[in-house]
Amino acid sequence: MNMQTVSPFGFPRPISQHGVVPVHVMSHSSQSSIPNLSTTSISFTQLQDKNVDLSSKIEQGFGPNGLGILSVTDVPGYSSLRRNLLHLAPRLANLPKEVKEELEDPHSRYNFGWSHGKEKLESGKPDILKGSFYANPILDTPTTEASLIQRYPSYCASNIWPKNALPELEVAFKALGKLMFDVGLMLAYHCDQYVSKGMKIHKDEGLESILCRSRCHKGRLLYYFPSQQIIPNGNSLSSWCGWHTDHGSLTGLTCGIFTRDGEEIACPDSGAGLYIRTRNDQIVKVVYGKDDIAYQIGETTEILSGGYLCATPHCVQAAKGEESYGVERSTFALFMQPDWDEKLKFPDEIHIHKELIPSKAVLNFGEYSEMLIGKYYH
């Protein structure tokens, strides 16, 4: 990746909270020339079979010439778990103000519980268009060690659930998050098999092992409030989520659900959705099925895999035009990342953040994250 394209300009919050690194991408005056590309897909049946060689699929999706994303199809139980959780997002966002304030956690920089208006848009203004609910779907309390909670609050704090106001949220959040995590681990196994053909992976140092023993995976339920004005067609590509590259290891994504007045509708604008910047600086719109789980590679995996697996800058564009008025959107992301204490053994040659990481360095993920925060935000 050309590091000159990575910039702190307009990025909402420190890396440790979002698991993303800001990217500045020149705006495109015409969207009509942007192609739509379907993700490389793998069926769940293939994925769960460790004897199947999926290297060509992994390379197509995650390799040096891939889009940094692929999707998993036909995951048993996924469709209903996705709908169960995403339909709770509007109910959460519309809870009384005092209830939502009880769900806020300033000490974790709002990286646990409810967050609204704490982020900034690329313009520098507070983002009041969407609300987020963060939780670790695997562990309610990653650690009880006070010094760790103090040092890494966005990883080590405990979950905050609306047990009285919306008790079903915890069940739905954990169910979907755990399923996406389990499928992600299966995908990580095949990523390791692909990478091992090009470089030696020591025992317990592959992506699957790193993610399996981590205590700080993070789910994010996002709710985009109904648009109260018609968004003009000339609006920025990154109107829903600014350009960024994921910072962690592997990010699982659901397809969003659109609703108007409580009723589910089709996306009102074919131009809305996920956009990716390719290796040759082309902007493409990426599409995958509503019942597929998409996975994107993060920068930590790109570095540790020696570039065999590659992360790509991406953004999300809002729905535009008259049909977008009053439309709300709900979606979910699972950030799979190493444990804060995970020793990351960096390869001899590093192409990302090489000015920060000494050759053959050994840092834990928490230290590495703090170095990136220092680079971009201090």
Side-chain angles (χ1 to χ4, degrees), residues 225-267:
F225 290 91
S227 173
Q228 298 305 313
Q229 60 185 20
I230 297 173
I231 301 174
N233 285 324
N235 199 46
S236 160
L237 266 184
S238 56
S239 49
W240 256 340
C241 181
W243 284 100
H244 65 276
T245 303
D246 290 357
H247 158 58
S249 299
L250 193 64
T251 303
L253 300 170
T254 68
C255 202
I257 283 180
F258 293 84
T259 52
R260 182 190 281 122
D261 299 327
E263 296 294 323
E264 187 172 341
I265 62 170
C267 177

Side-chain angles (χ1 to χ4, degrees), residues 337-376:
Q337 50 205 4
D339 194 84
W340 58 85
D341 278 345
E342 181 72 48
K343 292 284 192 293
L344 305 180
K345 296 183 179 179
F346 295 96
D348 295 350
E349 290 191 24
I350 298 169
H351 303 289
I352 302 175
H353 309 308
K354 58 186 177 182
E355 73 282 6
L356 292 179
I357 307 165
S359 178
K360 300 182 180 180
V362 178
L363 300 169
N364 69 39
F365 182 69
E367 293 168 339
Y368 170 60
S369 298
E370 287 182 334
M371 289 175 70
L372 290 186
I373 293 169
K375 173 181 177 179
Y376 287 108

Side-chain angles (χ1 to χ4, degrees), residues 4 17 49 76-77 83 97 117 119 144 149 168 173 219 232 235 256 259 262 271 278 282 304 320 328 337 370 372:
Q4 290 181 348
Q17 299 182 334
D49 188 347
R83 290 177 59 85
K97 180 181 178 183
E119 305 172 37
T144 57
I149 296 171
E168 54 265 60
F173 195 107
N235 199 46
T259 52
T278 67
Q282 184 184 21
L304 295 182
K320 303 175 185 177
E328 52 194 348
Q337 50 205 4
E370 287 182 334
L372 290 186

Side-chain angles (χ1 to χ4, degrees), residues 9-69:
F9 173 74
F11 187 65
R13 297 192 301 184
I15 292 169
S16 63
Q17 299 182 334
H18 246 301
V20 296
V21 175
V23 174
H24 175 60
V25 177
M26 297 301 290
S27 62
H28 282 236
S29 58
S30 172
Q31 235 180 280
S32 59
S33 61
I34 297 178
N36 282 17
L37 297 180
S38 295
T39 57
T40 297
S41 64
I42 300 173
S43 73
F44 178 78
T45 302
Q46 290 179 306
L47 194 70
Q48 66 178 348
D49 188 347
K50 291 190 173 183
N51 295 316
V52 174
D53 185 356
L54 297 177
S55 295
S56 63
K57 292 273 193 178
I58 299 297
E59 184 171 23
Q60 286 172 28
F62 291 158
N65 295 312
L67 294 174
I69 185 172

